[in-house]
Amino acid sequence: MTLTIRKSVFLPADQTTVWDHLTRADLLGKWFHPASSDLVEGQPYTLLSQKDGDRMCWGTVEKLSPKDHMRWSFTVGPLNGTMTTVDWHLTTAPGGTQLSLEHSGLPEDAEGYGLVLALDKGWHGFLGNLHEIETMALS
């Protein structure tokens, strides 16, 4: 069994709006990290630090099924080049969209556990940011 982080959030926005926030460079920076370009299937991506513009995380967009599913290979500096996988699933929910994230292929050793905790905390915060943006758009 591989170590996997799973998160889910209900957003008061339609799937198209949520999808745009996951794939458009101008919107990614509002809740996650600024992107160097829009996310395109088969293309590498780089997300930058909000603080200093340095490369924060990167990989390749492996799959895009617009408004339903996206898969990235994903790494950050502390993973020392090891690629993990992030899957995003969007489903229609009453009044909006359920967004689910699954981050798999994470380190399973004791040394990697601190990184897993940091990633778990990060995903929790970023999905909270997205929820706040979508909720504020309604008011």
Side-chain angles (χ1 to χ4, degrees):
M1 182 174 160
T2 62
L3 194 53
T4 302
I5 295 170
R6 290 181 180 84
K7 301 282 180 189
S8 187
V9 63
F10 289 90
L11 302 167
D14 61 34
Q15 282 178 256
T16 300
T17 301
V18 175
W19 184 258
D20 287 347
H21 277 82
L22 294 176
T23 58
R24 285 184 29 198
D26 61 327
L27 296 175
L28 273 162
K30 292 180 186 269
W31 67 276
F32 190 33
H33 294 294
S36 54
S37 62
D38 288 353
L39 302 186
V40 177
E41 186 169 2
Q43 296 298 310
Y45 70 89
T46 301
L47 303 178
L48 307 170
S49 166
Q50 300 254 7
K51 293 177 187 164
D52 54 21
D54 286 346
R55 182 172 76 161
M56 191 73 185
C57 44
W58 60 95
T60 301
V61 179
E62 296 180 348
K63 182 176 182 181
L64 282 180
S65 300
K67 298 185 265 179
D68 293 318
H69 175 245
M70 176 169 52
R71 175 177 294 139
W72 301 343
S73 64
F74 177 93
T75 195
V76 293
L79 282 169
N80 297 316
T82 300
M83 283 293 168
T84 62
T85 302
V86 177
D87 279 288
W88 303 87
H89 293 276
L90 292 78
T91 10
T92 300
T97 303
Q98 179 182 2
L99 175 63
S100 300
L101 169 144
E102 188 171 285
H103 189 170
S104 59
L106 297 165
E108 297 183 31
D109 58 355
E111 294 86 38
Y113 194 67
L115 176 59
V116 172
L117 290 175
L119 288 166
D120 181 69
K121 180 180 179 182
W123 287 127
H124 183 81
F126 290 125
L127 291 178
N129 293 345
L130 185 57
H131 184 269
E132 189 173 306
I133 286 169
E134 297 302 346
T135 302
M136 287 176 60
L138 288 178
S139 50

